[in-house]
Amino acid sequence: VFAQEAADEEALIERLRANLDKFEAKYGMSSLEFYTRFRSGELGDAMDFMEWASLYDMHEGAVERLSQLTSSH
C-alpha cells in the first residue's frame, strides 16, 4: 500500500513539476522566488499567478507527503 502511495505521489510531483517548469520559463524566475514575491503581494493576482501559486502549494504538499511515506517505512 505504501509503495503504491509513494509511486502515486512521485507521479503527481512529476506532473506538477512539468507545469511549474512552464511558468518558470515564461516568467524567468524559480517557483520559490515567485511564491515568496507573490505571497508578499509584490506580483498582483493575475490568473497565471493564482494558478502558479496553487500548483506550487500542491507540489510542496505532495513532496511533504512523499517524504513522510518514505521516511516512516
Side-chain angles (χ1 to χ4, degrees):
V1 173
F2 288 106
Q4 183 58 53
E5 288 180 32
D8 290 347
E9 290 299 328
E10 287 171 349
L12 175 61
I13 289 166
E14 202 171 291
R15 287 193 307 274
L16 292 168
R17 183 74 251 165
N19 287 318
L20 291 172
D21 288 346
K22 290 176 191 169
F23 281 111
E24 290 175 359
K26 182 175 181 177
Y27 291 101
M29 71 178 102
S30 72
S31 288
L32 178 58
E33 179 187 352
F34 155 75
Y35 195 75
T36 302
R37 293 176 65 189
F38 176 78
R39 297 296 291 172
S40 73
E42 243 182 271
L43 300 175
D45 60 357
M47 276 308 293
D48 264 9
F49 295 157
M50 302 297 278
E51 184 179 349
W52 192 358
S54 178
L55 287 167
Y56 185 78
D57 280 335
M58 291 175 4
H59 179 270
E60 294 303 293
V63 167
E64 179 61 29
R65 286 188 301 278
L66 180 60
S67 174
Q68 291 174 353
L69 284 168
T70 56
S71 69
S72 61
H73 298 281

Short mmCIF file of all heavy atoms in Angstrom, two decimals:
data_model
loop_
_atom_site.label_atom_id
_atom_site.label_comp_id
_atom_site.label_asym_id
_atom_site.label_seq_id
_atom_site.Cartn_x
_atom_site.Cartn_y
_atom_site.Cartn_z
N VAL A 1 0.84 -1.20 0.00
CA VAL A 1 0.00 0.00 0.00
C VAL A 1 0.87 1.25 0.00
O VAL A 1 0.67 2.15 -0.80
CB VAL A 1 -0.95 0.01 1.22
CG1 VAL A 1 -1.70 1.33 1.31
CG2 VAL A 1 -1.91 -1.15 1.15
N PHE A 2 1.89 1.29 0.88
CA PHE A 2 2.75 2.47 0.95
C PHE A 2 3.54 2.67 -0.33
O PHE A 2 3.73 3.79 -0.78
CB PHE A 2 3.70 2.40 2.16
CG PHE A 2 2.98 2.58 3.46
CD1 PHE A 2 2.76 1.52 4.31
CD2 PHE A 2 2.52 3.84 3.83
CE1 PHE A 2 2.09 1.69 5.51
CE2 PHE A 2 1.84 4.02 5.03
CZ PHE A 2 1.63 2.94 5.86
N ALA A 3 3.99 1.57 -0.93
CA ALA A 3 4.75 1.67 -2.19
C ALA A 3 3.87 2.30 -3.28
O ALA A 3 4.34 3.14 -4.05
CB ALA A 3 5.26 0.31 -2.62
N GLN A 4 2.62 1.90 -3.34
CA GLN A 4 1.71 2.46 -4.35
C GLN A 4 1.43 3.94 -4.06
O GLN A 4 1.43 4.76 -4.98
CB GLN A 4 0.40 1.68 -4.40
CG GLN A 4 -0.56 2.16 -5.48
CD GLN A 4 0.06 2.11 -6.87
OE1 GLN A 4 0.56 1.07 -7.29
NE2 GLN A 4 0.04 3.23 -7.59
N GLU A 5 1.22 4.27 -2.80
CA GLU A 5 1.00 5.67 -2.44
C GLU A 5 2.21 6.52 -2.80
O GLU A 5 2.07 7.63 -3.33
CB GLU A 5 0.69 5.81 -0.95
CG GLU A 5 -0.69 5.31 -0.56
CD GLU A 5 -0.97 5.46 0.92
OE1 GLU A 5 -0.45 6.42 1.53
OE2 GLU A 5 -1.70 4.62 1.47
N ALA A 6 3.40 6.00 -2.51
CA ALA A 6 4.62 6.73 -2.83
C ALA A 6 4.75 6.90 -4.35
O ALA A 6 5.11 7.98 -4.83
CB ALA A 6 5.84 6.00 -2.27
N ALA A 7 4.45 5.85 -5.10
CA ALA A 7 4.51 5.95 -6.56
C ALA A 7 3.50 6.98 -7.08
O ALA A 7 3.80 7.74 -8.01
CB ALA A 7 4.25 4.58 -7.19
N ASP A 8 2.32 7.00 -6.50
CA ASP A 8 1.30 7.98 -6.89
C ASP A 8 1.78 9.41 -6.61
O ASP A 8 1.60 10.30 -7.44
CB ASP A 8 -0.02 7.73 -6.14
CG ASP A 8 -0.72 6.46 -6.59
OD1 ASP A 8 -0.33 5.88 -7.64
OD2 ASP A 8 -1.65 6.03 -5.88
N GLU A 9 2.39 9.62 -5.45
CA GLU A 9 2.90 10.95 -5.10
C GLU A 9 4.03 11.34 -6.05
O GLU A 9 4.10 12.49 -6.50
CB GLU A 9 3.40 11.00 -3.66
CG GLU A 9 2.30 10.93 -2.61
CD GLU A 9 1.29 12.07 -2.68
OE1 GLU A 9 1.64 13.21 -3.05
OE2 GLU A 9 0.11 11.81 -2.38
N GLU A 10 4.92 10.39 -6.38
CA GLU A 10 6.01 10.68 -7.30
C GLU A 10 5.47 11.08 -8.68
O GLU A 10 5.98 12.02 -9.30
CB GLU A 10 6.95 9.48 -7.43
CG GLU A 10 7.81 9.27 -6.20
CD GLU A 10 8.59 7.96 -6.23
OE1 GLU A 10 8.32 7.11 -7.09
OE2 GLU A 10 9.47 7.81 -5.37
N ALA A 11 4.44 10.40 -9.15
CA ALA A 11 3.83 10.73 -10.44
C ALA A 11 3.19 12.12 -10.39
O ALA A 11 3.32 12.90 -11.34
CB ALA A 11 2.80 9.67 -10.83
N LEU A 12 2.51 12.42 -9.29
CA LEU A 12 1.90 13.74 -9.12
C LEU A 12 2.98 14.82 -9.10
O LEU A 12 2.84 15.85 -9.77
CB LEU A 12 1.08 13.78 -7.82
CG LEU A 12 0.47 15.13 -7.45
CD1 LEU A 12 -0.50 15.60 -8.53
CD2 LEU A 12 -0.22 15.05 -6.10
N ILE A 13 4.04 14.60 -8.37
CA ILE A 13 5.14 15.57 -8.28
C ILE A 13 5.72 15.82 -9.67
O ILE A 13 5.98 16.97 -10.05
CB ILE A 13 6.23 15.08 -7.30
CG1 ILE A 13 5.70 15.16 -5.86
CG2 ILE A 13 7.52 15.89 -7.45
CD1 ILE A 13 6.53 14.41 -4.85
N GLU A 14 5.89 14.77 -10.45
CA GLU A 14 6.44 14.90 -11.79
C GLU A 14 5.52 15.77 -12.67
O GLU A 14 5.99 16.65 -13.39
CB GLU A 14 6.59 13.50 -12.40
CG GLU A 14 7.59 13.41 -13.52
CD GLU A 14 7.83 11.97 -13.91
OE1 GLU A 14 8.42 11.22 -13.13
OE2 GLU A 14 7.41 11.60 -15.03
N ARG A 15 4.22 15.51 -12.61
CA ARG A 15 3.26 16.31 -13.41
C ARG A 15 3.25 17.77 -12.96
O ARG A 15 3.27 18.69 -13.79
CB ARG A 15 1.84 15.73 -13.29
CG ARG A 15 1.64 14.44 -14.05
CD ARG A 15 0.18 14.06 -14.18
NE ARG A 15 -0.55 14.02 -12.92
CZ ARG A 15 -0.60 12.97 -12.10
NH1 ARG A 15 0.05 11.87 -12.41
NH2 ARG A 15 -1.31 13.02 -10.99
N LEU A 16 3.25 17.98 -11.65
CA LEU A 16 3.25 19.35 -11.13
C LEU A 16 4.55 20.07 -11.50
O LEU A 16 4.54 21.24 -11.86
CB LEU A 16 3.05 19.35 -9.62
CG LEU A 16 1.66 18.90 -9.14
CD1 LEU A 16 1.67 18.66 -7.64
CD2 LEU A 16 0.60 19.92 -9.51
N ARG A 17 5.66 19.34 -11.41
CA ARG A 17 6.96 19.93 -11.74
C ARG A 17 6.99 20.40 -13.19
O ARG A 17 7.51 21.48 -13.50
CB ARG A 17 8.06 18.89 -11.48
CG ARG A 17 9.48 19.38 -11.70
CD ARG A 17 9.93 20.30 -10.59
NE ARG A 17 10.02 21.65 -11.13
CZ ARG A 17 10.10 22.76 -10.41
NH1 ARG A 17 10.09 22.72 -9.11
NH2 ARG A 17 10.18 23.93 -10.98
N ALA A 18 6.42 19.60 -14.09
CA ALA A 18 6.37 19.97 -15.50
C ALA A 18 5.59 21.27 -15.68
O ALA A 18 5.99 22.15 -16.46
CB ALA A 18 5.76 18.85 -16.33
N ASN A 19 4.48 21.41 -14.96
CA ASN A 19 3.68 22.63 -15.03
C ASN A 19 4.44 23.82 -14.42
O ASN A 19 4.40 24.93 -14.96
CB ASN A 19 2.34 22.45 -14.34
CG ASN A 19 1.40 21.59 -15.15
OD1 ASN A 19 1.31 21.72 -16.37
ND2 ASN A 19 0.69 20.69 -14.50
N LEU A 20 5.11 23.58 -13.30
CA LEU A 20 5.89 24.66 -12.68
C LEU A 20 7.00 25.12 -13.61
O LEU A 20 7.27 26.32 -13.72
CB LEU A 20 6.47 24.18 -11.34
CG LEU A 20 5.47 23.94 -10.21
CD1 LEU A 20 6.17 23.30 -9.02
CD2 LEU A 20 4.75 25.21 -9.80
N ASP A 21 7.64 24.16 -14.29
CA ASP A 21 8.72 24.50 -15.23
C ASP A 21 8.24 25.46 -16.31
O ASP A 21 8.97 26.37 -16.72
CB ASP A 21 9.29 23.24 -15.89
CG ASP A 21 10.12 22.39 -14.92
OD1 ASP A 21 10.48 22.89 -13.83
OD2 ASP A 21 10.40 21.23 -15.27
N LYS A 22 7.01 25.26 -16.79
CA LYS A 22 6.45 26.14 -17.83
C LYS A 22 6.32 27.57 -17.31
O LYS A 22 6.67 28.53 -18.02
CB LYS A 22 5.10 25.61 -18.31
CG LYS A 22 5.20 24.33 -19.10
CD LYS A 22 3.82 23.81 -19.46
CE LYS A 22 3.93 22.40 -20.02
NZ LYS A 22 2.62 21.75 -20.13
N PHE A 23 5.81 27.73 -16.10
CA PHE A 23 5.68 29.07 -15.52
C PHE A 23 7.06 29.69 -15.28
O PHE A 23 7.26 30.88 -15.50
CB PHE A 23 4.88 29.03 -14.22
CG PHE A 23 3.39 28.93 -14.44
CD1 PHE A 23 2.71 27.78 -14.11
CD2 PHE A 23 2.67 30.00 -14.96
CE1 PHE A 23 1.33 27.68 -14.30
CE2 PHE A 23 1.30 29.92 -15.15
CZ PHE A 23 0.63 28.76 -14.82
N GLU A 24 8.00 28.88 -14.79
CA GLU A 24 9.35 29.40 -14.54
C GLU A 24 9.98 29.91 -15.82
O GLU A 24 10.61 30.97 -15.84
CB GLU A 24 10.21 28.32 -13.89
CG GLU A 24 9.78 28.02 -12.47
CD GLU A 24 10.54 26.86 -11.83
OE1 GLU A 24 11.41 26.25 -12.49
OE2 GLU A 24 10.26 26.56 -10.65
N ALA A 25 9.80 29.16 -16.91
CA ALA A 25 10.36 29.59 -18.20
C ALA A 25 9.65 30.85 -18.70
O ALA A 25 10.30 31.79 -19.20
CB ALA A 25 10.23 28.46 -19.22
N LYS A 26 8.35 30.90 -18.55
CA LYS A 26 7.57 32.03 -19.04
C LYS A 26 7.92 33.33 -18.32
O LYS A 26 8.01 34.40 -18.93
CB LYS A 26 6.08 31.73 -18.88
CG LYS A 26 5.16 32.82 -19.41
CD LYS A 26 3.70 32.40 -19.34
CE LYS A 26 2.78 33.48 -19.89
NZ LYS A 26 1.37 33.05 -19.89
N TYR A 27 8.11 33.23 -16.99
CA TYR A 27 8.33 34.44 -16.19
C TYR A 27 9.77 34.64 -15.73
O TYR A 27 10.08 35.63 -15.07
CB TYR A 27 7.38 34.45 -14.99
CG TYR A 27 5.94 34.64 -15.43
CD1 TYR A 27 5.07 33.56 -15.52
CD2 TYR A 27 5.47 35.90 -15.80
CE1 TYR A 27 3.76 33.73 -15.95
CE2 TYR A 27 4.17 36.08 -16.23
CZ TYR A 27 3.31 34.99 -16.30
OH TYR A 27 2.02 35.16 -16.74
N GLY A 28 10.65 33.70 -16.05
CA GLY A 28 12.08 33.88 -15.77
C GLY A 28 12.44 33.92 -14.31
O GLY A 28 13.34 34.65 -13.91
N MET A 29 11.73 33.14 -13.49
CA MET A 29 12.10 33.05 -12.06
C MET A 29 11.72 31.67 -11.54
O MET A 29 10.87 31.01 -12.11
CB MET A 29 11.45 34.17 -11.24
CG MET A 29 9.96 34.06 -11.05
SD MET A 29 9.30 35.41 -10.02
CE MET A 29 8.60 36.46 -11.28
N SER A 30 12.38 31.28 -10.47
CA SER A 30 12.07 29.99 -9.86
C SER A 30 10.70 30.06 -9.18
O SER A 30 10.21 31.15 -8.86
CB SER A 30 13.13 29.63 -8.82
OG SER A 30 13.00 30.46 -7.67
N SER A 31 10.12 28.91 -8.98
CA SER A 31 8.83 28.87 -8.30
C SER A 31 8.95 29.38 -6.87
O SER A 31 8.05 30.05 -6.37
CB SER A 31 8.25 27.45 -8.32
OG SER A 31 7.82 27.14 -9.64
N LEU A 32 10.05 29.08 -6.21
CA LEU A 32 10.25 29.56 -4.84
C LEU A 32 10.32 31.08 -4.81
O LEU A 32 9.67 31.73 -3.98
CB LEU A 32 11.50 28.95 -4.22
CG LEU A 32 11.83 29.41 -2.80
CD1 LEU A 32 10.67 29.11 -1.84
CD2 LEU A 32 13.10 28.75 -2.31
N GLU A 33 11.10 31.67 -5.73
CA GLU A 33 11.18 33.13 -5.79
C GLU A 33 9.81 33.72 -6.10
O GLU A 33 9.36 34.69 -5.46
CB GLU A 33 12.17 33.57 -6.87
CG GLU A 33 12.28 35.08 -6.99
CD GLU A 33 13.12 35.55 -8.16
OE1 GLU A 33 13.77 34.72 -8.82
OE2 GLU A 33 13.11 36.77 -8.42
N PHE A 34 9.12 33.15 -7.09
CA PHE A 34 7.78 33.62 -7.42
C PHE A 34 6.87 33.57 -6.20
O PHE A 34 6.19 34.54 -5.87
CB PHE A 34 7.16 32.77 -8.55
CG PHE A 34 5.66 32.79 -8.50
CD1 PHE A 34 4.96 33.91 -8.93
CD2 PHE A 34 4.95 31.73 -7.97
CE1 PHE A 34 3.57 33.96 -8.83
CE2 PHE A 34 3.57 31.77 -7.88
CZ PHE A 34 2.88 32.89 -8.31
N TYR A 35 6.85 32.42 -5.53
CA TYR A 35 5.91 32.21 -4.43
C TYR A 35 6.17 33.21 -3.30
O TYR A 35 5.24 33.78 -2.74
CB TYR A 35 6.01 30.78 -3.93
CG TYR A 35 4.86 30.37 -3.05
CD1 TYR A 35 3.60 30.09 -3.58
CD2 TYR A 35 5.01 30.24 -1.67
CE1 TYR A 35 2.54 29.70 -2.79
CE2 TYR A 35 3.95 29.87 -0.86
CZ TYR A 35 2.72 29.60 -1.43
OH TYR A 35 1.67 29.21 -0.63
N THR A 36 7.43 33.44 -3.01
CA THR A 36 7.80 34.40 -1.97
C THR A 36 7.31 35.80 -2.34
O THR A 36 6.70 36.50 -1.52
CB THR A 36 9.33 34.40 -1.78
OG1 THR A 36 9.75 33.08 -1.43
CG2 THR A 36 9.75 35.37 -0.68
N ARG A 37 7.54 36.19 -3.59
CA ARG A 37 7.12 37.52 -4.05
C ARG A 37 5.60 37.61 -4.14
O ARG A 37 5.02 38.64 -3.81
CB ARG A 37 7.78 37.83 -5.39
CG ARG A 37 9.30 37.99 -5.27
CD ARG A 37 9.95 38.19 -6.60
NE ARG A 37 9.52 39.47 -7.19
CZ ARG A 37 9.81 39.82 -8.44
NH1 ARG A 37 10.50 39.03 -9.23
NH2 ARG A 37 9.38 40.98 -8.90
N PHE A 38 4.97 36.54 -4.59
CA PHE A 38 3.51 36.52 -4.71
C PHE A 38 2.85 36.65 -3.34
O PHE A 38 1.93 37.45 -3.15
CB PHE A 38 3.08 35.22 -5.40
CG PHE A 38 1.58 35.04 -5.50
CD1 PHE A 38 0.85 35.73 -6.46
CD2 PHE A 38 0.91 34.17 -4.65
CE1 PHE A 38 -0.53 35.58 -6.56
CE2 PHE A 38 -0.46 34.00 -4.74
CZ PHE A 38 -1.18 34.71 -5.70
N ARG A 39 3.34 35.88 -2.38
CA ARG A 39 2.76 35.91 -1.03
C ARG A 39 2.97 37.26 -0.35
O ARG A 39 2.17 37.65 0.49
CB ARG A 39 3.36 34.79 -0.16
CG ARG A 39 3.07 33.37 -0.65
CD ARG A 39 1.64 32.99 -0.63
NE ARG A 39 1.18 32.86 0.74
CZ ARG A 39 -0.08 32.69 1.10
NH1 ARG A 39 -1.01 32.61 0.19
NH2 ARG A 39 -0.42 32.58 2.35
N SER A 40 4.02 37.97 -0.72
CA SER A 40 4.27 39.28 -0.12
C SER A 40 3.47 40.38 -0.81
O SER A 40 3.54 41.54 -0.41
CB SER A 40 5.76 39.61 -0.16
OG SER A 40 6.16 39.92 -1.48
N GLY A 41 2.72 40.02 -1.86
CA GLY A 41 1.87 40.99 -2.54
C GLY A 41 2.55 41.76 -3.65
O GLY A 41 1.98 42.67 -4.23
N GLU A 42 3.78 41.38 -3.97
CA GLU A 42 4.57 42.09 -4.97
C GLU A 42 4.04 41.93 -6.40
O GLU A 42 4.27 42.78 -7.24
CB GLU A 42 6.00 41.52 -4.96
CG GLU A 42 7.07 42.48 -4.58
CD GLU A 42 8.43 41.79 -4.66
OE1 GLU A 42 8.82 41.20 -3.63
OE2 GLU A 42 9.06 41.84 -5.71
N LEU A 43 3.39 40.80 -6.70
CA LEU A 43 3.11 40.47 -8.09
C LEU A 43 1.65 40.62 -8.52
O LEU A 43 1.33 40.40 -9.68
CB LEU A 43 3.56 39.02 -8.37
CG LEU A 43 5.04 38.74 -8.15
CD1 LEU A 43 5.34 37.26 -8.33
CD2 LEU A 43 5.90 39.58 -9.08
N GLY A 44 0.77 40.95 -7.63
CA GLY A 44 -0.63 41.07 -8.01
C GLY A 44 -1.32 39.71 -8.06
O GLY A 44 -0.77 38.71 -7.62
N ASP A 45 -2.52 39.69 -8.65
CA ASP A 45 -3.31 38.45 -8.61
C ASP A 45 -3.79 38.03 -10.00
O ASP A 45 -4.92 37.59 -10.17
CB ASP A 45 -4.48 38.57 -7.63
CG ASP A 45 -5.43 39.71 -8.01
OD1 ASP A 45 -5.14 40.43 -8.99
OD2 ASP A 45 -6.45 39.85 -7.32
N ALA A 46 -2.92 38.16 -10.99
CA ALA A 46 -3.24 37.69 -12.34
C ALA A 46 -3.57 36.19 -12.29
O ALA A 46 -3.08 35.47 -11.42
CB ALA A 46 -2.06 37.93 -13.27
N MET A 47 -4.41 35.75 -13.20
CA MET A 47 -4.82 34.34 -13.22
C MET A 47 -3.61 33.40 -13.27
O MET A 47 -3.58 32.38 -12.60
CB MET A 47 -5.76 34.04 -14.40
CG MET A 47 -7.21 34.36 -14.11
SD MET A 47 -7.85 33.62 -12.58
CE MET A 47 -7.83 31.89 -12.99
N ASP A 48 -2.62 33.73 -14.10
CA ASP A 48 -1.41 32.90 -14.17
C ASP A 48 -0.79 32.75 -12.79
O ASP A 48 -0.34 31.67 -12.41
CB ASP A 48 -0.38 33.52 -15.11
CG ASP A 48 -0.42 32.94 -16.52
OD1 ASP A 48 -1.37 32.18 -16.83
OD2 ASP A 48 0.49 33.25 -17.31
N PHE A 49 -0.72 33.85 -12.06
CA PHE A 49 -0.08 33.81 -10.75
C PHE A 49 -0.90 33.00 -9.75
O PHE A 49 -0.34 32.28 -8.92
CB PHE A 49 0.19 35.22 -10.22
CG PHE A 49 1.19 35.99 -11.06
CD1 PHE A 49 1.20 37.37 -11.04
CD2 PHE A 49 2.13 35.34 -11.84
CE1 PHE A 49 2.13 38.09 -11.79
CE2 PHE A 49 3.06 36.04 -12.59
CZ PHE A 49 3.06 37.43 -12.57
N MET A 50 -2.21 33.11 -9.85
CA MET A 50 -3.07 32.32 -8.97
C MET A 50 -2.87 30.82 -9.25
O MET A 50 -2.76 30.01 -8.33
CB MET A 50 -4.54 32.70 -9.16
CG MET A 50 -4.84 34.18 -8.91
SD MET A 50 -4.53 34.68 -7.22
CE MET A 50 -6.04 34.15 -6.46
N GLU A 51 -2.81 30.47 -10.53
CA GLU A 51 -2.61 29.07 -10.92
C GLU A 51 -1.23 28.59 -10.48
O GLU A 51 -1.08 27.50 -9.94
CB GLU A 51 -2.77 28.92 -12.43
CG GLU A 51 -2.66 27.48 -12.89
CD GLU A 51 -2.84 27.30 -14.39
OE1 GLU A 51 -3.24 28.27 -15.09
OE2 GLU A 51 -2.57 26.20 -14.86
N TRP A 52 -0.21 29.41 -10.71
CA TRP A 52 1.16 29.05 -10.34
C TRP A 52 1.26 28.83 -8.83
O TRP A 52 1.84 27.83 -8.38
CB TRP A 52 2.10 30.14 -10.81
CG TRP A 52 3.58 29.83 -10.79
CD1 TRP A 52 4.17 28.68 -10.36
CD2 TRP A 52 4.64 30.68 -11.22
NE1 TRP A 52 5.53 28.78 -10.50
CE2 TRP A 52 5.84 29.99 -11.03
CE3 TRP A 52 4.67 31.96 -11.75
CZ2 TRP A 52 7.09 30.56 -11.35
CZ3 TRP A 52 5.91 32.51 -12.07
CH2 TRP A 52 7.10 31.82 -11.88
N ALA A 53 0.68 29.72 -8.05
CA ALA A 53 0.71 29.58 -6.59
C ALA A 53 0.00 28.30 -6.16
O ALA A 53 0.49 27.58 -5.27
CB ALA A 53 0.07 30.79 -5.93
N SER A 54 -1.11 28.00 -6.79
CA SER A 54 -1.85 26.78 -6.47
C SER A 54 -1.03 25.54 -6.81
O SER A 54 -0.95 24.59 -6.01
CB SER A 54 -3.17 26.77 -7.23
OG SER A 54 -3.88 25.59 -6.96
N LEU A 55 -0.41 25.53 -7.97
CA LEU A 55 0.45 24.40 -8.37
C LEU A 55 1.61 24.24 -7.39
O LEU A 55 1.97 23.13 -7.01
CB LEU A 55 1.00 24.62 -9.79
CG LEU A 55 0.00 24.45 -10.92
CD1 LEU A 55 0.60 25.00 -12.22
CD2 LEU A 55 -0.39 22.99 -11.09
N TYR A 56 2.20 25.37 -6.99
CA TYR A 56 3.31 25.32 -6.05
C TYR A 56 2.87 24.74 -4.71
O TYR A 56 3.55 23.88 -4.14
CB TYR A 56 3.92 26.72 -5.87
CG TYR A 56 5.16 26.72 -5.00
CD1 TYR A 56 6.38 26.31 -5.52
CD2 TYR A 56 5.11 27.11 -3.67
CE1 TYR A 56 7.53 26.29 -4.72
CE2 TYR A 56 6.24 27.10 -2.88
CZ TYR A 56 7.45 26.69 -3.41
OH TYR A 56 8.57 26.67 -2.63
N ASP A 57 1.72 25.19 -4.21
CA ASP A 57 1.18 24.65 -2.96
C ASP A 57 0.96 23.13 -3.08
O ASP A 57 1.32 22.37 -2.17
CB ASP A 57 -0.17 25.30 -2.61
CG ASP A 57 -0.02 26.66 -1.97
OD1 ASP A 57 1.03 26.94 -1.36
OD2 ASP A 57 -0.98 27.44 -2.08
N MET A 58 0.38 22.71 -4.19
CA MET A 58 0.12 21.27 -4.40
C MET A 58 1.43 20.50 -4.48
O MET A 58 1.56 19.41 -3.92
CB MET A 58 -0.72 21.05 -5.65
CG MET A 58 -2.14 21.56 -5.48
SD MET A 58 -3.26 21.50 -6.91
CE MET A 58 -2.40 20.71 -8.20
N HIS A 59 2.42 21.06 -5.18
CA HIS A 59 3.73 20.41 -5.31
C HIS A 59 4.39 20.24 -3.95
O HIS A 59 4.86 19.16 -3.60
CB HIS A 59 4.62 21.23 -6.25
CG HIS A 59 5.99 20.67 -6.43
ND1 HIS A 59 7.03 21.03 -5.62
CD2 HIS A 59 6.48 19.78 -7.32
CE1 HIS A 59 8.12 20.38 -5.99
NE2 HIS A 59 7.80 19.61 -7.03
N GLU A 60 4.40 21.31 -3.17
CA GLU A 60 5.03 21.25 -1.85
C GLU A 60 4.31 20.25 -0.93
O GLU A 60 4.94 19.51 -0.18
CB GLU A 60 5.09 22.64 -1.21
CG GLU A 60 6.00 23.59 -1.95
CD GLU A 60 7.42 23.08 -2.08
OE1 GLU A 60 8.12 22.97 -1.05
OE2 GLU A 60 7.85 22.78 -3.22
N GLY A 61 2.99 20.20 -1.01
CA GLY A 61 2.23 19.22 -0.23
C GLY A 61 2.55 17.80 -0.64
O GLY A 61 2.71 16.92 0.21
N ALA A 62 2.66 17.57 -1.94
CA ALA A 62 2.98 16.22 -2.44
C ALA A 62 4.39 15.81 -2.03
O ALA A 62 4.62 14.66 -1.65
CB ALA A 62 2.82 16.17 -3.96
N VAL A 63 5.33 16.75 -2.09
CA VAL A 63 6.71 16.46 -1.67
C VAL A 63 6.73 16.09 -0.18
O VAL A 63 7.39 15.13 0.23
CB VAL A 63 7.64 17.67 -1.96
CG1 VAL A 63 8.98 17.52 -1.25
CG2 VAL A 63 7.83 17.83 -3.46
N GLU A 64 5.98 16.82 0.62
CA GLU A 64 5.90 16.54 2.06
C GLU A 64 5.28 15.17 2.32
O GLU A 64 5.79 14.39 3.14
CB GLU A 64 5.10 17.63 2.77
CG GLU A 64 4.93 17.42 4.26
CD GLU A 64 6.23 17.38 5.04
OE1 GLU A 64 7.20 18.02 4.62
OE2 GLU A 64 6.28 16.67 6.08
N ARG A 65 4.19 14.85 1.63
CA ARG A 65 3.55 13.53 1.80
C ARG A 65 4.50 12.41 1.39
O ARG A 65 4.61 11.41 2.08
CB ARG A 65 2.25 13.44 1.00
CG ARG A 65 1.11 14.25 1.62
CD ARG A 65 -0.21 13.99 0.93
NE ARG A 65 -0.22 14.29 -0.48
CZ ARG A 65 -0.39 15.50 -1.01
NH1 ARG A 65 -0.57 16.55 -0.22
NH2 ARG A 65 -0.39 15.69 -2.32
N LEU A 66 5.21 12.60 0.29
CA LEU A 66 6.16 11.58 -0.16
C LEU A 66 7.26 11.40 0.87
O LEU A 66 7.65 10.27 1.19
CB LEU A 66 6.76 11.96 -1.52
CG LEU A 66 7.77 10.97 -2.09
CD1 LEU A 66 7.15 9.60 -2.29
CD2 LEU A 66 8.37 11.50 -3.39
N SER A 67 7.74 12.50 1.42
CA SER A 67 8.78 12.45 2.44
C SER A 67 8.29 11.65 3.65
O SER A 67 9.01 10.82 4.20
CB SER A 67 9.17 13.87 2.85
OG SER A 67 10.06 13.84 3.93
N GLN A 68 7.06 11.90 4.08
CA GLN A 68 6.51 11.17 5.22
C GLN A 68 6.34 9.69 4.89
O GLN A 68 6.61 8.83 5.75
CB GLN A 68 5.16 11.77 5.64
CG GLN A 68 5.31 13.15 6.25
CD GLN A 68 3.98 13.81 6.52
OE1 GLN A 68 2.93 13.32 6.15
NE2 GLN A 68 4.04 14.98 7.16
N LEU A 69 5.89 9.39 3.69
CA LEU A 69 5.70 7.98 3.30
C LEU A 69 7.02 7.23 3.26
O LEU A 69 7.09 6.08 3.67
CB LEU A 69 5.03 7.89 1.92
CG LEU A 69 3.54 8.19 1.88
CD1 LEU A 69 3.09 8.35 0.41
CD2 LEU A 69 2.75 7.10 2.54
N THR A 70 8.05 7.87 2.74
CA THR A 70 9.32 7.17 2.56
C THR A 70 10.17 7.17 3.83
O THR A 70 10.99 6.28 4.01
CB THR A 70 10.13 7.77 1.39
OG1 THR A 70 10.32 9.17 1.62
CG2 THR A 70 9.41 7.55 0.07
N SER A 71 9.96 8.13 4.72
CA SER A 71 10.78 8.16 5.94
C SER A 71 10.22 7.24 7.03
O SER A 71 10.96 6.82 7.91
CB SER A 71 10.91 9.59 6.48
OG SER A 71 9.65 10.03 6.97
N SER A 72 8.96 6.92 6.94
CA SER A 72 8.36 6.10 8.01
C SER A 72 8.41 4.61 7.68
O SER A 72 7.96 3.80 8.48
CB SER A 72 6.92 6.55 8.26
OG SER A 72 6.14 6.37 7.09
N HIS A 73 8.94 4.25 6.49
CA HIS A 73 9.00 2.83 6.13
C HIS A 73 10.30 2.42 5.54
O HIS A 73 11.07 3.11 5.05
CB HIS A 73 7.87 2.48 5.14
CG HIS A 73 6.52 2.71 5.76
ND1 HIS A 73 5.97 1.82 6.63
CD2 HIS A 73 5.65 3.73 5.67
CE1 HIS A 73 4.79 2.29 7.03
NE2 HIS A 73 4.59 3.46 6.45
#
